[in-house]
Amino acid sequence: MISLWDEHWFWLEMLQDHAYFARDALSPSEEEYVQIAIQFIDLYGDLLSDLQGIPRTAQFNDPRMIEFARKAWQVVKAYYDFEGTLQALRIDNKINLNLSPTYLNGTLSENQEYLRILSYLMQGQQPVPLTVTQLLDLWLEDQLGHAVLFENTLDPIEVGVNLATETFKSRFQLYIVQNHHMKNYMRVKEPGFARQQEFIYEVGKTTLEMYQFVKGMVEKYKANTLLNKTNLRFLEHHFPETCYFLARLSYYEPRLREELGPCSLSKPSF
C-alpha cells in the first residue's frame, strides 16, 4: 500500500530526476534551456521540502494536502510543457539535445500520470486507480525504455551485459504486444481471467529479474568495473520506478507481494 505522502514523494523525486537528465543532456550552447532545467530542479527540491512539513499520515481530504497538490500541479504542468517543447524541437533537429523524441515520450507519459492524479487531489478526492491494462501500458514502456537506455550507455566491450540487456528488451517488447491483445479480450471477458492473471505474474517476475540485474550493474559501476557513459543517478532511477510499478501491479496479482519484499520508492544514494 502506497500512502498519499509517499505517492507525492515518489513522483516529485522522479520528475526532478527527469529535470537533471534534461540538464545533463543539453549542450552548454543551449544556455536558455539549461537554465530552465536547473530552475525546475530547484522547484522540485522546494516541493520536496514543503512535503516534509506535512504529516505522513495526512489524507487526500486534508486541507494541507489539497493546497500542496495545487502548488505541485503548477510546477508539474509547467515542466510537462517544457519537456514538450524540447521534444518538438528535437523531432525537427532544432536543438542540441542528447535525448531522443521517444525517450521524451516516456518521461512525458509519466508526467501526465502524475498530473492525472493531482487533478483528483486538488479537489480533495481520492484518485481513481489505473486499470491493470492502463498500468501495464505506462510501465511496460518505462521498463522497455530503461533496457534500451542501459544498452545505449554501455561500452561495446561489455558484451555479456549487453546480451542480457538485449534479452530484457525483447521480453518487454513482447509484453507490450501481449497487453494490447489482453485489452481486446476485454470485449468478451471480465478483467482477471486466468490467462491475464498469469500474464500479470509473468510481467512482474521479469520486472523483478531486471531489478536484480540493474542492482548488479550499480555494484559494478560503484566498483569501477563497468565501462559506460552514464551516471549513478540515472542507474538508480530504475529502482523506485520499478518498486512503484510492482507495488501497483501487486494490487491486481497478490502473488507478487511476497516476491517483491521491502522496496523503496527513493533512490539509495540521493
Side-chain angles (χ1 to χ4, degrees):
M1 184 68 177
I2 299 174
S3 71
L4 176 56
W5 196 98
D6 286 332
E7 183 88 30
H8 280 301
W9 188 267
F10 164 75
W11 285 110
L12 292 171
E13 274 204 336
M14 292 306 95
L15 292 176
Q16 186 185 48
D17 274 358
H18 293 174
Y20 272 109
F21 301 153
R23 181 203 65 181
D24 294 346
L26 283 159
S27 166
S29 66
E30 303 289 357
E31 185 175 349
E32 176 187 355
Y33 295 119
V34 170
Q35 288 305 313
I36 293 173
I38 291 170
Q39 288 171 13
F40 277 112
I41 290 168
D42 292 340
L43 287 169
Y44 282 127
D46 291 342
L47 286 170
L48 288 164
S49 295
D50 291 347
L51 183 60
Q52 289 179 312
I54 300 175
R56 297 179 69 100
T57 54
Q59 297 300 307
F60 60 89
N61 56 356
D62 187 307
R64 292 166 294 185
M65 275 298 192
I66 294 171
E67 180 58 31
F68 181 80
R70 291 173 179 169
K71 186 175 180 181
W73 190 91
Q74 294 178 345
V75 176
V76 174
K77 178 60 168 64
Y79 186 69
Y80 179 85
D81 293 339
F82 171 62
E83 276 204 349
T85 297
L86 296 182
Q87 185 184 51
L89 292 169
R90 181 64 278 178
I91 288 170
D92 292 330
N93 298 319
K94 292 180 178 178
I95 189 170
N96 193 344
L97 172 67
N98 191 27
L99 294 172
S100 73
T102 301
Y103 164 88
L104 290 163
N105 266 351
T107 57
L108 284 165
S109 292
E110 291 168 22
N111 193 320
Q112 195 169 32
E113 170 59 7
Y114 188 34
L115 286 172
R116 186 191 72 85
I117 292 168
L118 287 172
S119 71
Y120 289 96
L121 297 177
M122 290 191 296
Q123 307 300 320
Q125 299 171 358
Q126 189 167 12
V128 174
L130 296 175
T131 66
V132 69
T133 53
Q134 290 171 332
L135 184 73
L136 289 165
D137 272 341
L138 176 63
W139 292 109
L140 284 175
E141 180 183 0
D142 178 71
Q143 293 290 311
L144 172 60
H146 286 193
V148 171
L149 288 165
F150 292 148
E151 186 177 46
N152 291 341
T153 62
L154 290 168
D155 190 276
I157 200 174
E158 302 291 356
V159 178
V161 183
N162 266 311
L163 287 172
T165 305
E166 183 67 33
T167 299
F168 283 117
K169 192 171 76 170
S170 298
R171 289 163 77 178
F172 284 115
Q173 286 172 329
L174 175 61
Y175 292 151
I176 288 171
V177 174
Q178 288 178 304
N179 190 51
H180 167 75
H181 290 291
M182 291 292 171
K183 282 189 287 186
N184 287 339
Y185 298 152
M186 300 302 172
R187 291 180 291 206
V188 296
K189 293 291 291 181
E190 291 295 319
F193 59 95
R195 184 62 185 90
Q196 186 187 35
Q197 289 306 118
E198 190 60 25
F199 169 64
I200 295 168
Y201 185 61
E202 186 181 348
V203 168
K205 293 277 283 184
T206 299
T207 302
L208 281 166
E209 284 180 41
M210 191 160 95
Y211 184 92
Q212 293 301 322
F213 169 71
V214 178
K215 279 183 70 175
M217 288 177 63
V218 168
E219 288 168 7
K220 287 177 176 290
Y221 181 94
K222 289 181 175 180
N224 299 323
T225 57
L226 182 75
L227 300 183
N228 67 94
K229 59 180 181 181
T230 190
N231 57 53
L232 186 60
R233 179 182 291 274
F234 176 80
L235 289 172
E236 290 191 349
H237 183 79
H238 180 75
F239 297 144
E241 289 195 333
T242 298
C243 287
Y244 183 89
F245 173 36
L246 289 170
R248 290 294 180 213
L249 198 60
S250 67
Y251 174 80
Y252 297 99
E253 180 42 78
R255 284 182 291 175
L256 293 172
R257 289 175 193 161
E258 288 185 13
E259 301 195 25
L260 178 58
C263 206
S264 175
L265 294 175
S266 291
K267 299 179 297 299
S269 302
F270 297 90

